[in-house]
Amino acid sequence: MKGKNKAMAAGVSALLACSVVAGCGTSSSPSNTANATNTANAGAKGGSKPIDFSHAKGTIVWAAPPITHTGLRKTLIQKFEQEYPNIKVKLQNQDSNTDTDRASLTTAIGGGSNTPDVYLGDVVWPAQFAANQLAEPLSGLVPNSFWNRFADGLVQGATYKGKVYAAPFFVDTAFLYYRKDLLKKAGLPVPKTWADVQKDSEILQKKGLVKYGFVWQGASYEGLLCDFDEYLADAGGQVLGSDGKPALDSAAGKKALNFMRGLITSGVSPTSEVQFQENESLNVFTEGNAAFLRNWSYAWPSSQDPKASKVVGKVGVTALPSFSGGPGYSTIGGWDLYINPHTKNLPAALAFIDWMTGKEAQTILAKDFSEIPTNKQVQNDPTVKQKSPIFAIVPKVKYVSRPSQNPNYPAIAKAVYSNVNAALAGSVSTNQALSNASKQIESALGGNGGL
């Protein structure tokens, strides 16, 4: 098996360069997330020639925080070194606090250090790091077909000004959790639209089966941006338009925010929703006080933990619904792999990224460590889908990225979530909130760099 993999590695560049995966030409993402393959192709037109990394050698430094599971990094490094015996990987342990991690990488790379060669970074970093010359553009260094391996929407989230600056490594995203026992008692099917969620919540509440209908993240923080972005994309809108200017003060923006506000005014969601982050909403649900929950993938094992949940065995999970029916949009979370622009080991770094996003590594990531893979082939593997109901749903998810394709993303995000929160709390009208957010984003766009 080892010899076979080595032979495959030797021809990987040529194989990728002359192959195009069928069925990858159309993205299921909304209008603000362009076709991922076309984006990569456009970025490759700068004249760079794909690098043959099949015979790479040397030692590279991989900077990565502990991620979520003890042993994940070590396992992947060992497997990679078995496949590439001429490349050694030295792990540089990063801080588990994302802001501290970002600061240390910014200091090192910004100071011209050629290590780490590869680093693990948040999915919202590409524009900030690209604008500050902290990440090497991968477009053109790998064949265009390389990007076809990733689930739709993920590559666009790693793109800045037409070039891809990171390779999606593992993804996190949101799902709709529901009390299947309560739906059964009331004779209700799993909701397929947001209107169904609201209607079914009201029915279950009127029957006295549950205190609250639907809980989510409504506090004034980035999590609220993620929630709002999902409704906005589903309504056909976006925070930033294709011209890079604010576009959320629109009919789609009003539809999204009015629906969110209506959940609270109708009593389907509690008035305290405006203070809920992930943990607060999850706790209400696992205490048995809500019928529906919007939360990230970790909410599934939390709901099945007998030490922390009163609803073990009573929970179902599905893709977020839409306004019109069928799967809705779900915000991209997770981590990407970036290359230091000062690296002295570019072929080895590319080999590492290629393997880490390939079938073997992504299967290990999913089966052994329960992380959602970014590789479409692995996502659709029946043996992976059997590991968790989350994995069975993932291939159906339509991803939407946060408006992070601008280096001033932190200020843009704050403009959105602070004003959306004000509208949810009833401090301002939904129309005024969108107008205020748009003006603040316009002001933020005049900044420089975001770091």
Side-chain angles (χ1 to χ4, degrees):
M1 184 68 181
K2 181 177 178 181
K4 180 181 178 181
N5 289 335
K6 186 176 181 180
M8 290 173 63
V12 67
S13 294
L15 175 62
L16 287 174
C18 62
S19 66
V20 177
V21 178
C24 296
T26 303
S27 172
S28 58
S29 302
S31 56
N32 64 314
T33 53
N35 177 270
T37 304
N38 290 340
T39 298
N41 289 345
K45 292 178 180 177
S48 298
K49 182 179 180 180
I51 292 175
D52 183 356
F53 48 78
S54 58
H55 299 290
K57 58 184 179 181
T59 298
I60 59 172
V61 176
W62 178 34
I67 314 179
T68 53
H69 299 276
T70 302
L72 185 153
R73 296 172 301 175
K74 183 178 179 180
T75 297
L76 291 176
I77 289 172
Q78 289 177 340
K79 291 290 186 179
F80 171 77
E81 290 180 342
Q82 288 174 10
E83 299 299 320
Y84 284 86
N86 292 324
I87 303 176
K88 300 300 178 186
V89 180
K90 180 180 179 181
L91 177 64
Q92 178 178 304
N93 192 46
Q94 293 295 107
D95 198 284
S96 58
N97 181 286
T98 303
D99 290 335
T100 303
D101 182 16
R102 185 179 74 162
S104 68
L105 289 168
T106 300
T107 299
I109 300 172
S113 174
N114 55 27
T115 59
D117 300 279
V118 180
Y119 59 93
L120 195 63
D122 197 291
V123 295
V124 299
W125 288 3
Q128 299 169 58
F129 274 56
N132 289 276
Q133 292 79 51
L134 301 172
E136 178 73 15
L138 303 180
S139 300
L141 298 181
V142 293
N144 297 333
S145 55
F146 169 80
W147 305 108
N148 293 330
R149 68 179 61 181
F150 299 105
D152 292 341
L154 297 184
V155 175
Q156 180 60 24
T159 301
Y160 176 63
K161 292 187 174 180
K163 292 186 177 182
V164 189
Y165 282 84
F169 179 46
F170 69 86
V171 67
D172 196 6
T173 197
F175 301 90
L176 181 71
Y177 298 87
Y178 58 90
R179 287 284 302 279
K180 58 185 182 181
D181 59 322
L182 299 184
L183 292 181
K184 183 177 181 180
K185 283 183 180 180
L188 297 171
V190 177
K192 294 183 178 180
T193 68
W194 286 118
D196 289 341
V197 171
Q198 183 164 5
K199 174 177 62 70
D200 292 352
S201 293
E202 292 171 345
I203 291 173
L204 295 173
Q205 287 174 292
K206 288 178 181 178
K207 288 180 175 291
L209 296 176
V210 71
K211 185 175 182 180
Y212 302 121
F214 179 34
V215 289
W216 34 284
Q217 295 76 52
S220 184
Y221 80 119
E222 191 170 358
L224 175 55
L225 165 65
C226 296
D227 288 49
F228 174 71
D229 209 20
E230 290 161 354
Y231 295 112
L232 181 63
D234 188 35
Q238 54 223 13
V239 174
L240 297 178
S242 58
D243 58 1
K245 296 181 180 180
L248 76 169
D249 190 3
S250 61
K254 292 177 175 64
K255 180 176 182 177
L257 189 50
N258 284 331
F259 175 76
M260 296 175 78
R261 174 62 179 156
L263 290 171
I264 297 174
T265 57
S266 67
V268 164
S269 300
T271 55
S272 54
E273 181 63 60
V274 296
Q275 299 173 341
F276 281 9
Q277 295 189 15
E278 281 86 358
N279 286 342
E280 288 80 7
S281 55
L282 177 60
N283 288 340
V284 171
F285 186 76
T286 55
E287 282 293 313
N289 292 323
F292 300 100
L293 165 73
R294 180 267 180 210
N295 216 318
W296 304 88
S297 60
Y298 77 90
W300 170 255
S302 295
S303 73
Q304 301 307 300
D305 181 359
K307 295 181 180 179
S309 174
K310 296 180 181 179
V311 293
V312 176
K314 301 177 181 179
V315 178
V317 59
T318 187
L320 292 177
S322 63
F323 286 116
S324 59
Y329 288 99
S330 188
T331 302
I332 300 171
W335 290 77
D336 293 346
L337 291 162
Y338 300 73
I339 289 181
N340 182 346
H342 308 300
T343 181
K344 303 297 185 184
N345 301 291
L346 184 56
L350 289 170
F352 183 69
I353 285 181
D354 176 69
W355 186 84
M356 292 284 273
T357 58
K359 183 177 180 181
E360 183 177 359
Q362 292 280 299
T363 300
I364 292 171
L365 198 70
K367 288 188 174 181
D368 297 346
F369 297 98
S370 300
E371 295 292 354
I372 301 175
T374 57
N375 187 296
K376 275 191 293 193
Q377 184 180 4
V378 177
Q379 285 187 358
N380 286 293
D381 184 337
T383 63
V384 170
K385 291 181 180 181
Q386 292 173 2
K387 294 291 292 184
S388 165
I390 291 293
F391 289 161
I393 298 166
V394 165
K396 303 176 184 178
V397 170
K398 295 189 294 185
Y399 294 108
V400 59
S401 60
R402 284 166 275 181
S404 57
Q405 285 75 46
N406 185 286
N408 293 294
Y409 168 71
I412 295 170
K414 185 176 181 180
V416 176
Y417 66 67
S418 62
N419 285 289
V420 169
N421 176 263
L424 296 179
S427 301
V428 297
S429 68
T430 54
N431 287 355
Q432 188 62 52
L434 293 172
S435 176
N436 292 345
S438 185
K439 292 175 183 176
Q440 290 171 23
I441 291 173
E442 191 70 54
S443 177
L445 293 176
N448 56 3
L451 287 173

